[in-house]
Amino acid sequence: MSKGRYLFPNDYMADPSAHVFNGKIYIYPSHDWESGVPENDNGDHFNMKDYHVFSMEDIESEVVDHGKVLGVEDIAWSGRQLWDSDVAQKDGKYYMYFSMKDKTDIFRLGVAVSDKPEGPFIPQENPIKGSYSIDPCAFQDDDGSYYLYFGGIWGGQLQYYRNNKLIDGSVLPHFDEDSLTAKVARLTDNMLEFAEEPKDVLILDEEGNPLKQGDTERRFFEASWMHKYNGKYYFSYSTGDTHLLCYAIGDNPYGPFTYQGVILTPVVGWTTHHSILQFKDKWYLFHHDSVPSGGKTWLRSMKVIELQYDNEGKIITIEGQ
């Protein structure tokens, strides 16, 4: 699959998180729609209000829409904007981690639970204690531990925090200071809370120094994803305003991770958001672009393309356009 395949032309879906459950591929995207909210740097035009679940028997097969599985109106603490989500499975239960603004317009992370990978998902009464910002990625390690990665700057509000505490004002580091980082926390055994204080996901350059905020083509912006390949941990992410998907490699789920290169060059639309999946001995990149909507960045379409590695474990860059 050297050419990208659009997965669901009937509707606009973005941020596809793909997993293999029970031998099938399940996809958990955001659901874009034309809400009429003007574009701005806070991302208010990404005014998503519910989630659908999709499944595929095989990578080339028909995509099945299992319908709406969770909406803003179902969540007791909801304000607005159901952004990116991800799902993990443990002991026959499925846990959907989602990002949404609460009633005070602050992004939190929530959890909703189902007995089936296709939902519907029943939300907990409150957000995860100590959670903030956006873009959760749930990762199961080989030892059975589960971790939640999260965070995003600008509209994702990460710049409002230092040391997991809300600070006064919205403060990005200066260009020559260390960049803001994604966060990671191990989950409790019941999958519903953080088992520890979130830690920084540090990305280093080739000399072992943390990436700087001004290094906009390499530093973290949003869209965390974690996968393992040949025993190494691959942390991938979007650079946001420079429109690249990049990755860094580490020896454990906390990092630090050393920057390696670009997975995907810019696509049509403001940026993209992805997941990486192994299925039947091949690897795939799920992502989105705005080609079908004529370039409307708030109306995105999910797609998939094969991902390949070289002999050293480096990901071979995919051209986005």
Side-chain angles (χ1 to χ4, degrees), residues 41-81:
D41 283 345
N42 291 325
D44 288 336
H45 48 299
F46 296 110
N47 195 26
M48 296 86 94
K49 58 184 180 178
D50 62 30
Y51 296 120
H52 285 229
V53 174
F54 299 85
S55 67
M56 307 163 65
E57 295 286 345
D58 208 332
I59 201 69
E60 299 278 5
S61 64
E62 177 190 3
V63 177
V64 176
D65 179 6
H66 295 278
K68 177 180 168 183
V69 298
L70 182 66
V72 167
E73 69 279 3
D74 302 319
I75 302 164
W77 54 275
S78 67
R80 62 190 180 109
Q81 292 183 289

Side-chain angles (χ1 to χ4, degrees), residues 70 72-79 96 98 100 102-103 108-113 121-129 192-193:
L70 182 66
V72 167
E73 69 279 3
D74 302 319
I75 302 164
W77 54 275
S78 67
M96 174 179 276
F98 59 89
M100 185 183 63
D102 66 14
K103 297 181 191 305
R108 309 286 184 195
L109 305 179
V111 192
V113 186
F121 289 85
I122 307 303
Q124 299 293 295
E125 285 294 311
N126 296 293
I128 296 172
K129 290 189 289 290
L192 300 178
E193 299 288 349

Side-chain angles (χ1 to χ4, degrees), residues 14-15 17 28-31 46-51 70-72 75 77-87 96-102 105-112 123 127-128 131-137 148-152 155-157 222-224 273 300:
D15 313 332
S17 295
Y28 303 92
S30 305
H31 184 192
F46 296 110
N47 195 26
M48 296 86 94
K49 58 184 180 178
D50 62 30
Y51 296 120
L70 182 66
V72 167
I75 302 164
W77 54 275
S78 67
R80 62 190 180 109
Q81 292 183 289
L82 271 179
W83 280 14
D84 176 51
S85 70
D86 194 17
V87 170
M96 174 179 276
Y97 300 92
F98 59 89
S99 44
M100 185 183 63
K101 285 179 177 173
D102 66 14
D105 237 24
I106 298 293
F107 269 112
R108 309 286 184 195
L109 305 179
V111 192
I128 296 172
S131 70
Y132 55 96
S133 198
I134 60 168
D135 290 357
C137 164
L148 201 67
Y149 297 81
F150 64 94
Q157 302 181 344
E222 63 187 0
S224 299
H273 192 131
R300 300 160 292 178

Side-chain angles (χ1 to χ4, degrees), residues 254-266:
Y254 294 107
F257 300 91
T258 301
Y259 177 87
Q260 300 295 318
V262 174
I263 299 173
L264 182 71
T265 62

